[in-house]
Amino acid sequence: MRVQSTTKDFRALTIAARQRFKGCLSLLLLLCELACAEHPVPHLRTTSRVLLADSATDGNGNGKATDGNGKGKAHDPDAAARAIVRRSQWSWPACPQWILDYAAFHKQALVNPANAKYMLYVCDHETRNYCPGLGDRLRAMQEAFKLAQYTNRTLLFHWSIPAALETIFSPAEIDWRMQKEFGLDKAFNMKYYWGTGFEPIPKEMTDGSFIKVTQDAKLLTVSTNQYDPRGILPGMSLGGIVSNERSCLFNAFFKPSGMLQLKVDEMRRQLFGSSTTPYLAIHLRLGGFAGEWKVIERFNQFQGLMAGLSCAKDLAHAHGLDKMPILLLTDNALLREHVRKGTFSGFITTPFDAGHTSGSSHGAEEVLVTSFVDMALLAQAQCFVGSPSGFSDMALNW
């Protein structure tokens, strides 16, 4: 559930803080405190997606403000600074009815899989250019869901690089696993691959002819590195990049595998002394790590780092977490190493080396696992300061 402040003071602070990298840091700190403390709800986790972007972003880091229906609109200065309040366990009542209806349809279709038609999201060696990062993949799966619901198809996932998706997740409410008895290896398969820097969105997906063009295909295969903030793709709206709909889907698709859950619990004990101790986390997407060829500039990195650290400390104080170290996770190997060495007092990080899932180097499967451990740690934080990144976004939706 997304909670937005309706107070004039909060909005004024938000607008000021949107412009603040040229102004006063204290406004940002006060905004951070409001974003995480304004809506305390017992038994719910409040998460702050704070201010290191100018707006919601597309898969290429470009601003894409949307309205509640996913349609493009004028720039919304507080879009990236809203508080997110959501249940720590996924539950059916929190989901829109159209998602619940599809889940029931999907379950019934698998009773007689030979008669079903399928929508398959794929990330493998053939499509690796269309699914480079974890955020790209997880967002694309949600767009595939939207297309599956629109065309009355059974949604499946095939993610095999650098390791099978089943290594990380088990199905939750929607069983997305491919099975041999589905007979898809010999099925008529229409493939749709598109993304930033590659093919554009297929014409039939935007001109109203998609169902007619694909009606004879038992299998539609899709892969992309884009999500659909403007509602260009047909079907129901999933809202913005962080929304109740997307959170619902994430938790309807996935529950941690036994292996992942054990690793997350163990890491929490290692970092904080207990797997139940509350903590605060910050994620900075800076780039420049193994498997990625450049440093990215989605915000001024020095100002973003200093503002993020100060904001996290202010949040910790506001929530009585001053005595606990703050978890700082980043993809920047140099910054991560400095945090490990104690350069930043009061901050800790995980012992993993930062890496990118698009790399095919030795140990890529371990990078996949440790990346999801990091994402789970962000998702489980009492408060979370994120940056413009699909990784931050998916942690918020988890």
Side-chain angles (χ1 to χ4, degrees):
M1 180 188 306
R2 174 170 290 188
V3 178
Q4 180 180 357
S5 171
T6 57
T7 66
K8 292 182 180 179
D9 289 343
F10 181 63
R11 183 172 178 80
L13 282 169
T14 302
I15 294 172
R18 299 300 299 151
Q19 303 167 345
R20 75 111 324 268
F21 284 132
K22 297 180 181 179
C24 178
L25 180 61
S26 62
L27 285 176
L28 175 61
L29 302 184
L30 184 54
L31 171 63
C32 290
E33 182 174 342
L34 283 171
C36 230
E38 190 182 29
H39 300 281
V41 182
H43 311 302
L44 299 184
R45 180 166 62 254
T46 304
T47 305
S48 172
R49 185 173 188 264
V50 182
L51 258 202
L52 300 182
D54 288 331
S55 67
T57 61
D58 64 12
N60 202 31
N62 300 313
K64 300 292 183 183
T66 65
D67 64 13
N69 293 319
K71 305 294 184 182
K73 68 170 185 176
H75 175 64
D76 179 359
D78 63 352
R82 296 184 178 120
I84 305 298
V85 180
R86 59 183 172 76
R87 300 180 186 277
S88 51
Q89 296 294 328
W90 187 78
S91 60
W92 284 108
C95 292
Q97 188 61 45
W98 68 274
I99 295 181
L100 306 183
D101 291 343
Y102 177 84
F105 159 81
H106 185 281
K107 185 175 182 178
Q108 184 60 38
L110 292 181
V111 173
N112 192 357
N115 292 335
K117 290 185 176 181
Y118 295 91
M119 177 74 65
L120 174 65
Y121 167 80
V122 62
C123 182
D124 58 13
H125 288 288
E126 178 186 351
T127 60
R128 62 186 179 275
N129 288 332
Y130 298 92
C131 54
L134 296 185
D136 294 326
R137 301 180 190 192
L138 294 168
R139 289 182 300 198
M141 289 173 165
Q142 296 177 342
E143 303 306 333
F145 171 88
K146 190 168 86 165
L147 292 173
Q149 189 272 343
Y150 176 72
T151 57
N152 289 320
R153 290 175 176 270
T154 304
L155 180 65
L156 302 174
F157 300 149
H158 174 62
W159 167 334
S160 63
I161 57 171
L165 182 60
E166 291 85 342
T167 305
I168 303 298
F169 291 121
S170 299
E173 302 297 329
I174 295 175
D175 192 344
W176 37 261
R177 295 170 297 182
M178 289 183 63
Q179 305 291 348
K180 184 176 293 186
E181 57 265 30
F182 295 173
L184 299 183
D185 54 334
K186 298 179 181 179
F188 175 32
N189 181 9
M190 296 181 69
K191 298 181 179 182
Y192 290 94
Y193 304 155
W194 73 96
T196 305
F198 302 101
E199 295 82 358
I201 295 176
K203 183 175 180 292
E204 55 265 41
M205 288 187 180
T206 61
D207 66 5
S209 66
F210 188 53
I211 292 178
K212 182 177 180 180
V213 169
T214 60
Q215 62 185 354
D216 293 330
K218 184 176 182 64
L219 176 64
L220 300 183
T221 302
V222 298
S223 190
T224 181
N225 67 343
Q226 290 185 318
Y227 83 109
D228 186 34
R230 295 184 175 181
I232 296 174
L233 295 177
M236 302 293 288
S237 171
L238 293 176
I241 193 168
V242 178
S243 68
N244 182 64
E245 291 85 354
R246 292 184 184 275
S247 180
C248 169
L249 281 183
F250 190 104
N251 291 281
F253 291 158
F254 306 125
K255 58 184 179 183
S257 67
M259 178 274 295
L260 180 62
Q261 190 62 61
L262 286 172
K263 287 184 177 293
V264 172
D265 290 345
E266 175 56 34
M267 187 51 55
R268 289 189 64 171
R269 285 190 290 269
Q270 181 177 328
L271 294 171
F272 305 108
S274 167
S275 61
T276 59
T277 300
Y279 60 94
L280 188 143
I282 177 172
H283 175 244
L284 293 173
R285 174 74 163 103
L286 304 176
F289 59 102
E292 188 169 53
W293 61 275
K294 63 179 180 179
V295 172
I296 58 175
E297 289 286 349
R298 295 179 182 173
F299 51 90
N300 181 293
Q301 295 205 349
F302 175 75
Q303 290 180 323
L305 170 62
M306 299 311 295
L309 297 180
S310 297
C311 178
K313 286 187 175 182
D314 191 69
L315 279 171
H317 177 73
H319 287 267
L321 300 175
D322 311 65
K323 297 181 180 180
M324 292 301 299
I326 297 169
L327 179 63
L328 192 161
L329 297 176
T330 178
D331 54 356
N332 187 276
L334 181 61
L335 175 57
R336 205 165 180 126
E337 183 61 26
H338 275 289
V339 176
R340 284 198 198 105
K341 291 179 177 179
T343 303
F344 299 93
S345 177
F347 291 86
I348 57 174
T349 192
T350 53
F352 316 130
D353 292 329
H356 200 273
T357 52
S358 63
S360 57
S361 60
H362 177 71
E365 181 174 344
E366 182 180 356
V367 169
L368 180 71
V369 172
T370 56
S371 294
F372 271 111
V373 171
D374 279 355
M375 185 182 289
L377 290 170
L378 294 176
Q380 293 178 12
Q382 179 171 326
C383 283
F384 163 36
V385 182
S387 56
S389 160
F391 197 88
S392 281
D393 295 331
M394 287 300 109
L396 283 169
N397 282 320
W398 191 332

